[in-house]
Every structure is written in C-alpha cells, then in structure tokens.
Amino acid sequence: MAWEGSTRRQRLPKDWPARRRRVLRRDGHRCVELYSDGRRCTQPATDVDHIVPGDDHRMENLRALCSWHHARKSAHEGGTAAARTRVSSARPTAKHPALED
Ligand SMILES: [Zn+2]
C-alpha cells in the first residue's frame, strides 16, 4: 500500500493531542532538527513531526520541530519515504530565521 500524504492527517490516533504534548515536553519544546554542521536548531518547537511518514505514531517516530523545519520537510515529502532520501539534492535557498543576523 502506498502512503498518501493527503490522507495522513485523518489517520492520527485519538490520543494525538496528548501524544503531541508528550513529544514536545520530551524534546524540551525545542526543535530537534540538526543543521548540516551538526548543531541543533533549538528554535521553539511548534510542530510534531513523524520521522518516518505514515502510521507509526510511537514516541520513537515523533519529534518536535519548529514550524520552519516542519514546513521545509513537508515540502520535500512526496508521499513516499523514499522521497526523504533525495532532499539533499534539492535544498531550498531560504535561510532559517536563526541563521539571520
Ligand atoms: Zn528548526
């Protein structure tokens, strides 16, 4: 069965709001995404992301992201996990707010 991004939101578990809060608390309400140089983003996390897109809603597959990183990741997700492995060849040129002086 192929993943379909357009229906992903409808498959969230009933306890999603509580789960989401737990992820944010676990990650300290900070974005856990890493920059290419290995530094952690640490912008305030507003979104909870599925590391592997799909129906895996375990804590291990969830992480806190800032809205910028979440939007950037979502933009690259073509509905398949394979699309995630190709993002390096198509990086957006927009800067992360934290990198602007
Ligand atoms: Zn971030």
Side-chain angles (χ1 to χ4, degrees):
M1 186 178 77
W3 300 122
E4 292 186 285
S6 57
T7 62
R8 191 144 50 95
R9 289 199 177 281
Q10 294 159 10
R11 295 202 302 255
L12 292 173
K14 279 196 176 67
D15 69 340
W16 176 249
R19 205 173 287 231
R20 188 177 174 282
R21 277 198 301 275
R22 229 160 49 228
V23 172
L24 289 172
R25 206 180 315 137
R26 181 197 65 188
D27 292 341
H29 294 267
R30 297 281 167 180
C31 179
V32 300
E33 184 62 280
L34 301 178
Y35 295 120
S36 50
D37 63 4
R39 283 182 307 137
R40 187 174 154 182
C41 171
T42 73
Q43 286 293 298
T46 55
D47 298 328
V48 170
D49 174 52
H50 288 76
I51 297 169
V52 178
D55 287 328
D56 186 352
H57 306 300
R58 290 172 304 159
M59 293 294 284
E60 307 92 270
N61 191 44
L62 299 172
R63 61 177 179 168
L65 287 186
C66 68
S67 54
W68 187 90
H69 269 122
H70 198 213
R72 190 184 72 158
K73 184 191 171 188
S74 298
H76 283 297
E77 274 173 16
T80 66
R84 289 179 64 240
T85 64
R86 295 197 298 265
V87 298
S88 58
S89 61
R91 276 189 192 283
T93 53
K95 276 187 177 178
H96 189 286
L99 293 178
E100 287 174 4
D101 287 316

